[in-house]
Amino acid sequence: MIFANKSVSCSLQIICFLTFSPIYSLLCSVVYHPSHSPPSHLYVILFNFLFSSLLLSPSSMESKLQPWGLLPISFLLLLSNLQNWANAEPKVPCYFIFGDSLSDNGNNNNLKTLAKVNYRPYGIDFQKGPTGRFSNGRNMQDVIVELLGFIHYMPPFAKSKGKNILTGVNYASGSAGIRNESGKQLGARIPMNEQIKNHKTIISRISRLLGNDSSTKRLLSQCIYSIQIGSNDYINNYFKPEFYNTSRQYTPQQFAVVLVQQYSQQIKTLYDNGARKFALYGLSLIGCTPVAIAVYGTNGSPCVNKLNIAATLFNDRLKPLVEELNNNLTDAKFTYLNPSGSPVDLSSYVTNGTCCKAGGGGGELCIRNSKPCSNPRRYVFWDGVHTTDAWNKVVAKSAYYTESPLEAYPFNIHKLAKH
Protein backbone atom coordinates (compact mmCIF):
# COMPACT_ATOMS: atom_id res chain seq x y z
CA MET A 1 0.00 0.00 0.00
CA ILE A 2 1.43 3.37 -1.03
CA PHE A 3 -0.05 6.41 0.66
CA ALA A 4 -1.38 9.25 -1.49
CA ASN A 5 -3.19 12.57 -1.23
CA LYS A 6 -5.82 12.06 -3.91
CA SER A 7 -7.46 15.49 -4.07
CA VAL A 8 -4.22 17.46 -4.29
CA SER A 9 -2.80 14.84 -6.63
CA CYS A 10 -5.63 15.35 -9.12
CA SER A 11 -5.15 19.12 -9.06
CA LEU A 12 -1.45 18.72 -9.73
CA GLN A 13 -2.05 16.40 -12.63
CA ILE A 14 -4.34 18.95 -14.27
CA ILE A 15 -1.82 21.78 -13.88
CA CYS A 16 1.01 19.57 -15.09
CA PHE A 17 -1.02 18.86 -18.21
CA LEU A 18 -1.79 22.53 -18.83
CA THR A 19 1.74 23.89 -18.56
CA PHE A 20 3.22 22.04 -21.55
CA SER A 21 6.74 22.56 -20.21
CA PRO A 22 9.59 20.04 -20.25
CA ILE A 23 10.68 21.14 -16.77
CA TYR A 24 7.17 20.85 -15.41
CA SER A 25 6.83 17.46 -17.04
CA LEU A 26 10.02 16.38 -15.28
CA LEU A 27 8.74 17.58 -11.92
CA CYS A 28 5.42 15.85 -12.41
CA SER A 29 7.14 12.62 -13.37
CA VAL A 30 9.11 12.78 -10.12
CA VAL A 31 5.96 13.18 -8.05
CA TYR A 32 3.91 10.54 -9.88
CA HIS A 33 6.55 7.86 -10.17
CA PRO A 34 4.76 4.72 -8.86
CA SER A 35 7.45 4.00 -6.29
CA HIS A 36 7.19 7.49 -4.77
CA SER A 37 4.82 8.81 -2.16
CA PRO A 38 5.64 12.39 -1.15
CA PRO A 39 4.07 13.63 2.06
CA SER A 40 1.22 16.08 1.67
CA HIS A 41 3.28 19.22 2.38
CA LEU A 42 5.36 18.51 -0.73
CA TYR A 43 2.22 18.26 -2.81
CA VAL A 44 1.33 21.73 -1.55
CA ILE A 45 4.79 23.10 -2.38
CA LEU A 46 4.60 21.76 -5.90
CA PHE A 47 1.03 22.94 -6.34
CA ASN A 48 1.92 26.47 -5.20
CA PHE A 49 4.97 26.51 -7.44
CA LEU A 50 3.13 25.39 -10.54
CA PHE A 51 -0.01 27.40 -9.93
CA SER A 52 1.67 30.68 -9.00
CA SER A 53 4.13 30.41 -11.86
CA LEU A 54 1.29 29.69 -14.25
CA LEU A 55 -1.02 32.47 -13.15
CA LEU A 56 1.25 35.19 -11.78
CA SER A 57 3.97 35.46 -14.43
CA PRO A 58 3.65 38.76 -16.30
CA SER A 59 3.65 37.14 -19.70
CA SER A 60 0.78 34.82 -18.83
CA MET A 61 -1.30 37.75 -17.59
CA GLU A 62 -0.65 39.71 -20.74
CA SER A 63 -1.13 37.05 -23.36
CA LYS A 64 -0.78 33.30 -23.14
CA LEU A 65 0.33 30.70 -20.58
CA GLN A 66 4.09 31.14 -20.04
CA PRO A 67 4.79 29.82 -16.53
CA TRP A 68 8.37 31.06 -16.19
CA GLY A 69 7.96 34.17 -14.04
CA LEU A 70 8.75 32.60 -10.68
CA LEU A 71 10.79 29.70 -11.97
CA PRO A 72 14.34 30.32 -10.67
CA ILE A 73 13.72 30.64 -6.91
CA SER A 74 10.66 28.41 -6.70
CA PHE A 75 12.30 25.71 -8.78
CA LEU A 76 15.39 25.59 -6.56
CA LEU A 77 13.30 25.50 -3.39
CA LEU A 78 11.13 22.76 -4.82
CA LEU A 79 14.08 20.62 -5.85
CA SER A 80 15.59 21.03 -2.39
CA ASN A 81 12.39 19.82 -0.73
CA LEU A 82 12.01 16.93 -3.16
CA GLN A 83 15.59 15.89 -2.58
CA ASN A 84 15.09 15.95 1.19
CA TRP A 85 11.97 13.82 0.80
CA ALA A 86 13.68 11.36 -1.55
CA ASN A 87 16.54 10.87 0.91
CA ALA A 88 14.24 10.59 3.93
CA GLU A 89 14.06 7.34 5.86
CA PRO A 90 11.39 6.15 8.30
CA LYS A 91 12.02 7.25 11.88
CA VAL A 92 12.72 3.59 12.73
CA PRO A 93 13.71 0.78 10.36
CA CYS A 94 10.88 -1.54 11.38
CA TYR A 95 7.60 -1.67 13.28
CA PHE A 96 6.01 -4.78 14.79
CA ILE A 97 2.36 -4.77 15.85
CA PHE A 98 0.77 -7.09 18.42
CA GLY A 99 -2.81 -6.92 19.61
CA ASP A 100 -6.47 -7.54 18.92
CA SER A 101 -9.13 -6.23 16.54
CA LEU A 102 -8.10 -2.62 17.16
CA SER A 103 -4.91 -3.44 15.21
CA ASP A 104 -5.80 -6.53 13.13
CA ASN A 105 -5.35 -5.90 9.39
CA GLY A 106 -6.26 -9.33 8.01
CA ASN A 107 -4.86 -12.09 10.21
CA ASN A 108 -8.35 -13.40 11.01
CA ASN A 109 -9.61 -13.51 7.42
CA ASN A 110 -9.03 -17.23 6.93
CA LEU A 111 -9.85 -18.34 10.47
CA LYS A 112 -13.10 -19.99 11.53
CA THR A 113 -14.34 -17.14 13.67
CA LEU A 114 -17.14 -14.61 14.00
CA ALA A 115 -14.43 -11.99 14.63
CA LYS A 116 -13.48 -11.18 11.05
CA VAL A 117 -14.50 -8.36 8.78
CA ASN A 118 -13.30 -9.11 5.25
CA TYR A 119 -16.62 -7.89 3.82
CA ARG A 120 -18.38 -4.61 3.06
CA PRO A 121 -19.14 -2.12 4.45
CA TYR A 122 -15.75 -2.53 6.16
CA GLY A 123 -13.04 -0.89 4.11
CA ILE A 124 -15.35 1.37 2.10
CA ASP A 125 -12.90 4.25 2.63
CA PHE A 126 -9.77 2.15 2.24
CA GLN A 127 -7.91 1.97 -1.06
CA LYS A 128 -7.99 -1.83 -1.20
CA GLY A 129 -11.51 -2.19 0.17
CA PRO A 130 -12.26 -4.78 2.87
CA THR A 131 -8.89 -6.15 4.04
CA GLY A 132 -9.77 -7.41 7.50
CA ARG A 133 -9.38 -4.03 9.24
CA PHE A 134 -12.17 -3.42 11.75
CA SER A 135 -12.93 0.05 10.39
CA ASN A 136 -14.22 1.90 7.35
CA GLY A 137 -10.60 2.79 6.57
CA ARG A 138 -7.34 2.75 8.49
CA ASN A 139 -6.86 1.57 12.04
CA MET A 140 -4.79 3.56 14.52
CA GLN A 141 -1.63 1.56 13.84
CA ASP A 142 -1.88 2.33 10.12
CA VAL A 143 -1.84 6.05 10.84
CA ILE A 144 1.14 5.71 13.18
CA VAL A 145 2.98 3.80 10.46
CA GLU A 146 2.36 6.77 8.15
CA LEU A 147 3.54 9.26 10.78
CA LEU A 148 6.74 7.29 11.23
CA GLY A 149 7.45 7.74 7.54
CA PHE A 150 6.93 4.25 6.14
CA ILE A 151 5.77 4.00 2.53
CA HIS A 152 3.89 0.71 3.02
CA TYR A 153 1.65 -0.55 5.81
CA MET A 154 2.92 -3.50 7.81
CA PRO A 155 1.76 -6.79 6.21
CA PRO A 156 -0.38 -9.17 8.30
CA PHE A 157 1.59 -12.19 9.46
CA ALA A 158 -0.80 -14.37 7.45
CA LYS A 159 0.44 -12.74 4.22
CA SER A 160 4.02 -11.85 5.14
CA LYS A 161 6.64 -12.97 2.68
CA GLY A 162 10.02 -12.11 1.22
CA LYS A 163 11.90 -8.99 2.16
CA ASN A 164 8.80 -7.06 3.21
CA ILE A 165 9.17 -8.54 6.71
CA LEU A 166 12.36 -6.50 7.22
CA THR A 167 10.31 -3.35 7.85
CA GLY A 168 7.81 -5.02 10.17
CA VAL A 169 4.86 -7.37 10.52
CA ASN A 170 1.38 -7.10 12.02
CA TYR A 171 0.49 -10.10 14.24
CA ALA A 172 -2.74 -8.70 15.74
CA SER A 173 -5.86 -10.86 15.79
CA GLY A 174 -9.48 -9.92 16.41
CA SER A 175 -10.88 -11.26 19.74
CA ALA A 176 -7.38 -12.18 20.97
CA GLY A 177 -6.30 -11.54 24.52
CA ILE A 178 -3.41 -11.78 26.92
CA ARG A 179 -4.94 -15.00 28.19
CA ASN A 180 -5.14 -17.90 25.75
CA GLU A 181 -8.82 -18.61 26.31
CA SER A 182 -10.12 -15.06 25.85
CA GLY A 183 -12.46 -14.73 22.87
CA LYS A 184 -12.85 -18.49 22.35
CA GLN A 185 -16.66 -18.25 22.23
CA LEU A 186 -16.28 -16.33 18.94
CA GLY A 187 -14.09 -18.98 17.33
CA ALA A 188 -10.46 -19.21 16.30
CA ARG A 189 -8.07 -16.38 17.15
CA ILE A 190 -4.36 -15.81 17.71
CA PRO A 191 -3.73 -15.05 21.41
CA MET A 192 -0.73 -13.01 22.53
CA ASN A 193 1.31 -16.14 23.26
CA GLU A 194 0.74 -17.37 19.70
CA GLN A 195 1.56 -13.96 18.29
CA ILE A 196 4.92 -14.13 20.05
CA LYS A 197 5.53 -17.57 18.53
CA ASN A 198 4.73 -16.12 15.12
CA HIS A 199 7.22 -13.34 15.76
CA LYS A 200 9.91 -15.91 16.55
CA THR A 201 9.18 -17.44 13.14
CA ILE A 202 9.66 -14.03 11.54
CA ILE A 203 12.95 -13.55 13.41
CA SER A 204 14.24 -16.81 11.93
CA ARG A 205 13.22 -15.65 8.47
CA ILE A 206 14.91 -12.27 9.01
CA SER A 207 18.11 -14.03 10.08
CA ARG A 208 18.11 -16.02 6.87
CA LEU A 209 17.59 -12.85 4.83
CA LEU A 210 20.34 -10.92 6.61
CA GLY A 211 22.72 -13.85 6.76
CA ASN A 212 23.68 -13.71 10.45
CA ASP A 213 22.24 -13.33 13.93
CA SER A 214 24.24 -10.21 14.83
CA SER A 215 22.68 -8.19 12.00
CA THR A 216 19.25 -9.44 13.02
CA LYS A 217 19.85 -8.48 16.64
CA ARG A 218 21.00 -5.00 15.60
CA LEU A 219 17.93 -4.51 13.40
CA LEU A 220 15.42 -5.68 16.01
CA SER A 221 16.93 -3.43 18.67
CA GLN A 222 15.96 -0.40 16.57
CA CYS A 223 12.36 -1.47 15.82
CA ILE A 224 9.31 -0.27 17.71
CA TYR A 225 7.16 -3.04 19.20
CA SER A 226 3.59 -1.80 19.52
CA ILE A 227 1.30 -3.84 21.77
CA GLN A 228 -2.37 -2.98 22.27
CA ILE A 229 -4.15 -5.87 23.94
CA GLY A 230 -6.24 -6.70 27.00
CA SER A 231 -9.76 -5.52 26.13
CA ASN A 232 -10.91 -9.04 25.22
CA ASP A 233 -9.68 -10.39 28.54
CA TYR A 234 -12.53 -8.33 29.97
CA ILE A 235 -15.29 -8.01 27.36
CA ASN A 236 -14.77 -11.53 25.99
CA ASN A 237 -13.72 -13.26 29.20
CA TYR A 238 -14.16 -11.72 32.65
CA PHE A 239 -17.54 -10.14 31.85
CA LYS A 240 -18.84 -13.20 30.02
CA PRO A 241 -19.59 -15.51 32.99
CA GLU A 242 -21.72 -17.76 30.77
CA PHE A 243 -18.52 -18.81 28.99
CA TYR A 244 -15.72 -18.21 31.52
CA ASN A 245 -15.21 -18.65 35.24
CA THR A 246 -12.61 -15.91 35.79
CA SER A 247 -15.14 -13.57 37.43
CA ARG A 248 -15.86 -16.31 39.96
CA GLN A 249 -12.17 -16.94 40.57
CA TYR A 250 -11.00 -13.34 40.95
CA THR A 251 -12.23 -9.97 42.11
CA PRO A 252 -11.65 -7.20 39.53
CA GLN A 253 -8.59 -6.10 41.51
CA GLN A 254 -7.17 -9.63 41.61
CA PHE A 255 -7.83 -10.19 37.93
CA ALA A 256 -5.93 -7.02 37.00
CA VAL A 257 -2.95 -8.26 39.02
CA VAL A 258 -3.00 -11.71 37.40
CA LEU A 259 -3.48 -10.26 33.92
CA VAL A 260 -0.65 -7.74 34.16
CA GLN A 261 1.66 -10.38 35.62
CA GLN A 262 1.08 -12.60 32.60
CA TYR A 263 1.44 -9.62 30.29
CA SER A 264 4.75 -8.76 31.94
CA GLN A 265 6.13 -12.21 31.14
CA GLN A 266 5.06 -11.86 27.52
CA ILE A 267 6.78 -8.48 27.24
CA LYS A 268 9.96 -9.92 28.75
CA THR A 269 9.86 -12.80 26.25
CA LEU A 270 9.88 -10.25 23.43
CA TYR A 271 12.77 -8.48 25.16
CA ASP A 272 14.68 -11.77 25.40
CA ASN A 273 14.18 -12.14 21.64
CA GLY A 274 15.71 -8.79 20.79
CA ALA A 275 12.99 -6.15 21.28
CA ARG A 276 14.25 -2.89 22.82
CA LYS A 277 11.59 -0.25 22.06
CA PHE A 278 8.12 -0.91 23.44
CA ALA A 279 4.89 1.08 23.02
CA LEU A 280 2.47 -0.46 25.53
CA TYR A 281 -1.15 0.70 25.26
CA GLY A 282 -3.55 0.90 28.15
CA LEU A 283 -7.21 -0.01 27.85
CA SER A 284 -9.66 2.60 26.61
CA LEU A 285 -13.04 3.26 28.20
CA ILE A 286 -14.48 -0.12 27.20
CA GLY A 287 -17.72 0.70 29.01
CA CYS A 288 -18.48 3.57 26.62
CA THR A 289 -18.80 1.55 23.42
CA PRO A 290 -22.27 1.36 21.86
CA VAL A 291 -22.43 -2.42 22.26
CA ALA A 292 -21.44 -2.27 25.96
CA ILE A 293 -24.14 0.29 26.66
CA ALA A 294 -26.73 -1.77 24.75
CA VAL A 295 -25.82 -5.06 26.46
CA TYR A 296 -25.27 -3.96 30.06
CA GLY A 297 -27.18 -0.70 30.38
CA THR A 298 -25.81 2.27 32.30
CA ASN A 299 -28.28 2.79 35.16
CA GLY A 300 -28.33 6.50 34.42
CA SER A 301 -24.59 6.90 33.90
CA PRO A 302 -23.08 7.89 30.55
CA CYS A 303 -21.22 4.55 30.31
CA VAL A 304 -21.06 1.09 31.89
CA ASN A 305 -19.18 1.86 35.09
CA LYS A 306 -18.10 -1.68 35.99
CA LEU A 307 -16.32 -2.09 32.64
CA ASN A 308 -14.52 1.24 32.90
CA ILE A 309 -13.50 0.55 36.50
CA ALA A 310 -12.01 -2.78 35.44
CA ALA A 311 -10.09 -1.08 32.60
CA THR A 312 -8.78 1.52 35.03
CA LEU A 313 -7.56 -1.21 37.40
CA PHE A 314 -5.62 -2.76 34.52
CA ASN A 315 -4.11 0.58 33.51
CA ASP A 316 -3.17 1.38 37.08
CA ARG A 317 -1.11 -1.83 37.11
CA LEU A 318 0.37 -1.32 33.65
CA LYS A 319 1.80 2.14 34.32
CA PRO A 320 3.97 1.01 37.28
CA LEU A 321 5.06 -2.00 35.19
CA VAL A 322 6.40 0.40 32.56
CA GLU A 323 8.42 2.23 35.22
CA GLU A 324 9.72 -1.08 36.61
CA LEU A 325 10.78 -2.29 33.17
CA ASN A 326 12.56 0.98 32.42
CA ASN A 327 14.42 0.75 35.72
CA ASN A 328 15.38 -2.92 35.43
CA LEU A 329 16.03 -3.29 31.69
CA THR A 330 18.13 -0.20 31.11
CA ASP A 331 19.16 -1.09 27.55
CA ALA A 332 15.51 -0.90 26.48
CA LYS A 333 12.84 1.80 26.41
CA PHE A 334 9.23 1.29 27.44
CA THR A 335 6.40 3.77 27.27
CA TYR A 336 2.76 3.68 28.36
CA LEU A 337 0.20 5.09 25.91
CA ASN A 338 -3.50 5.72 26.24
CA PRO A 339 -4.48 8.31 23.64
CA SER A 340 -8.08 9.41 23.97
CA GLY A 341 -8.56 12.64 22.06
CA SER A 342 -9.48 15.91 23.73
CA PRO A 343 -12.97 17.13 24.68
CA VAL A 344 -12.59 19.62 21.83
CA ASP A 345 -11.98 16.72 19.45
CA LEU A 346 -14.99 14.82 20.77
CA SER A 347 -17.29 17.82 20.52
CA SER A 348 -17.36 17.62 16.73
CA TYR A 349 -18.14 13.88 16.56
CA VAL A 350 -21.19 11.71 17.07
CA THR A 351 -20.30 9.61 20.12
CA ASN A 352 -23.54 7.87 21.02
CA GLY A 353 -24.16 5.73 17.95
CA THR A 354 -22.61 3.63 15.23
CA CYS A 355 -22.05 4.56 11.60
CA CYS A 356 -22.91 1.10 10.31
CA LYS A 357 -25.83 -1.11 11.31
CA ALA A 358 -24.49 -3.43 14.02
CA GLY A 359 -25.58 -7.03 14.51
CA GLY A 360 -22.90 -9.08 12.77
CA GLY A 361 -20.23 -11.22 14.43
CA GLY A 362 -21.12 -11.53 18.09
CA GLY A 363 -23.57 -8.64 17.71
CA GLU A 364 -21.01 -5.85 17.71
CA LEU A 365 -19.92 -5.91 14.05
CA CYS A 366 -21.50 -4.39 10.95
CA ILE A 367 -24.11 -6.51 9.22
CA ARG A 368 -22.66 -7.84 5.98
CA ASN A 369 -23.30 -5.54 2.99
CA SER A 370 -25.42 -3.15 5.05
CA LYS A 371 -25.51 0.53 4.11
CA PRO A 372 -23.53 2.71 6.53
CA CYS A 373 -24.10 6.35 7.46
CA SER A 374 -23.46 8.96 4.79
CA ASN A 375 -20.58 10.67 6.60
CA PRO A 376 -18.32 8.36 8.66
CA ARG A 377 -15.97 11.30 9.30
CA ARG A 378 -18.47 12.64 11.84
CA TYR A 379 -18.57 9.45 13.92
CA VAL A 380 -16.31 8.07 16.63
CA PHE A 381 -17.67 4.53 16.33
CA TRP A 382 -17.83 2.67 13.06
CA ASP A 383 -19.51 -0.42 14.56
CA GLY A 384 -20.45 -1.39 18.10
CA VAL A 385 -16.85 -1.47 19.34
CA HIS A 386 -14.42 -0.22 16.71
CA THR A 387 -13.73 3.35 15.67
CA THR A 388 -13.76 5.14 12.32
CA ASP A 389 -10.80 6.10 10.19
CA ALA A 390 -11.36 9.72 11.21
CA TRP A 391 -11.22 9.01 14.93
CA ASN A 392 -8.30 6.60 14.50
CA LYS A 393 -6.39 9.49 12.97
CA VAL A 394 -7.14 11.68 16.00
CA VAL A 395 -5.89 9.15 18.56
CA ALA A 396 -2.90 8.12 16.44
CA LYS A 397 -1.71 11.72 16.22
CA SER A 398 -2.20 11.99 19.96
CA ALA A 399 -0.08 8.88 20.59
CA TYR A 400 2.57 10.26 18.26
CA TYR A 401 2.74 13.90 19.41
CA THR A 402 1.07 14.31 22.81
CA GLU A 403 2.98 15.83 25.71
CA SER A 404 0.32 14.84 28.24
CA PRO A 405 1.60 12.28 30.79
CA LEU A 406 -1.95 10.92 30.99
CA GLU A 407 -1.75 9.86 27.34
CA ALA A 408 1.95 9.05 26.97
CA TYR A 409 4.44 8.32 29.74
CA PRO A 410 7.37 8.76 29.84
CA PHE A 411 7.32 9.72 26.15
CA ASN A 412 5.23 9.68 22.99
CA ILE A 413 5.86 7.57 19.87
CA HIS A 414 7.85 10.32 18.17
CA LYS A 415 10.29 10.48 21.09
CA LEU A 416 10.40 6.70 21.47
CA ALA A 417 11.54 6.48 17.85
CA LYS A 418 14.46 8.82 18.62
CA HIS A 419 15.75 6.84 21.61
Side-chain angles (χ1 to χ4, degrees):
M1 177 66 64
I2 296 178
F3 318 131
N5 187 321
K6 295 179 181 177
S7 59
V8 179
S9 173
C10 291
S11 301
L12 283 172
Q13 288 174 334
I14 293 170
I15 291 180
C16 287
F17 174 76
L18 289 174
T19 56
F20 301 110
S21 162
I23 293 181
Y24 285 97
S25 297
L26 172 62
L27 292 175
C28 290
S29 69
V30 169
V31 172
Y32 297 116
H33 191 283
S35 65
H36 292 171
S37 178
S40 57
H41 69 277
L42 291 181
Y43 280 116
V44 174
I45 292 170
L46 181 55
F47 182 87
N48 289 338
F49 167 63
L50 293 171
F51 193 73
S52 60
S53 297
L54 175 63
L55 296 183
L56 300 182
S57 65
S59 57
S60 68
M61 295 176 68
E62 291 174 5
S63 56
K64 57 183 178 179
L65 299 178
Q66 293 291 339
W68 299 99
L70 301 178
L71 177 60
I73 296 176
S74 297
F75 180 64
L76 292 174
L77 289 172
L78 174 66
L79 285 185
S80 175
N81 277 283
L82 286 174
Q83 183 178 18
N84 289 337
W85 161 73
N87 294 330
E89 295 288 339
K91 305 295 190 300
V92 290
C94 35
Y95 191 74
F96 293 108
I97 302 166
F98 301 79
D100 51 32
S101 57
L102 298 177
S103 306
D104 189 352
N105 65 344
N107 285 307
N108 275 21
N109 287 354
N110 295 321
L111 300 183
K112 291 184 178 181
T113 177
L114 295 174
K116 60 181 175 182
V117 291
N118 53 341
Y119 59 86
R120 291 180 68 85
Y122 289 95
I124 60 168
D125 296 312
F126 196 74
Q127 186 175 348
K128 289 188 175 181
T131 58
R133 288 169 168 83
F134 289 69
S135 179
N136 61 306
R138 300 163 297 177
N139 59 40
M140 183 187 72
Q141 296 298 337
D142 290 326
V143 181
I144 291 175
V145 165
E146 294 177 18
L147 292 170
L148 285 168
F150 289 96
I151 294 177
H152 300 277
Y153 297 123
M154 301 304 110
F157 173 77
K159 292 185 176 181
S160 61
K161 58 183 179 180
K163 291 185 178 180
N164 67 357
I165 65 173
L166 294 175
T167 55
V169 174
N170 187 330
Y171 306 96
S173 172
S175 78
I178 294 169
R179 294 173 68 93
N180 289 340
E181 79 274 12
S182 295
K184 69 179 181 181
Q185 84 279 7
L186 296 173
R189 67 254 171 255
I190 310 168
M192 185 62 183
N193 285 328
E194 291 297 319
Q195 293 181 35
I196 293 172
K197 288 181 181 178
N198 290 341
H199 181 57
K200 290 178 181 178
T201 298
I202 291 294
I203 292 175
S204 297
R205 288 164 56 184
I206 290 174
S207 292
R208 288 196 294 271
L209 286 169
L210 298 182
N212 60 75
D213 292 341
S214 61
S215 296
T216 301
K217 183 177 180 181
R218 185 164 57 252
L219 175 66
L220 296 179
S221 69
Q222 301 173 67
C223 307
I224 288 180
Y225 284 65
S226 176
I227 314 175
Q228 186 174 22
I229 200 165
S231 293
N232 287 304
D233 296 292
Y234 287 98
I235 61 177
N236 282 310
N237 188 327
Y238 191 82
F239 290 105
K240 292 283 187 184
E242 64 271 33
F243 297 106
Y244 307 93
N245 64 359
T246 45
S247 61
R248 292 183 286 275
Q249 287 181 300
Y250 307 106
T251 65
Q253 292 83 355
Q254 291 170 336
F255 190 63
V257 171
V258 170
L259 202 55
V260 172
Q261 284 177 344
Q262 184 173 351
Y263 192 26
S264 173
Q265 292 305 311
Q266 293 166 340
I267 293 166
K268 289 174 182 175
T269 298
L270 289 172
Y271 171 86
D272 291 339
N273 283 271
R276 291 297 182 270
K277 294 184 178 184
F278 291 83
L280 306 176
Y281 288 81
L283 302 186
S284 62
L285 297 176
I286 56 177
C288 295
T289 64
V291 71
I293 292 171
V295 169
Y296 296 100
T298 64
N299 196 28
S301 299
C303 302
V304 183
N305 289 334
K306 66 178 182 179
L307 296 184
N308 286 344
I309 290 170
T312 300
L313 290 171
F314 177 88
N315 293 342
D316 288 346
R317 291 283 175 179
L318 181 58
K319 285 181 278 189
L321 174 63
V322 167
E323 289 195 28
E324 177 188 324
L325 292 168
N326 277 321
N327 290 333
N328 294 341
L329 303 175
T330 55
D331 62 335
K333 297 296 180 183
F334 301 82
T335 194
Y336 167 85
L337 296 153
N338 199 355
S340 56
S342 69
V344 174
D345 292 325
L346 281 169
S347 65
S348 59
Y349 286 84
V350 176
T351 61
N352 60 350
T354 66
C355 179
C356 78
K357 184 177 181 181
E364 75 284 4
L365 302 180
C366 301
I367 295 174
R368 187 180 293 268
N369 296 323
S370 59
K371 185 177 180 180
C373 66
S374 59
N375 189 3
R377 291 186 297 275
R378 292 188 59 246
Y379 281 73
V380 169
F381 290 101
W382 169 244
D383 60 21
V385 173
H386 308 98
T387 44
T388 60
D389 177 283
W391 189 250
N392 290 335
K393 182 178 179 180
V394 170
V395 292
K397 291 178 72 174
S398 177
Y400 195 80
Y401 292 114
T402 185
E403 296 295 334
S404 167
L406 297 177
E407 294 189 287
Y409 181 80
F411 29 72
N412 57 36
I413 294 289
H414 183 61
K415 291 180 179 177
L416 177 63
K418 292 181 177 181
H419 278 82

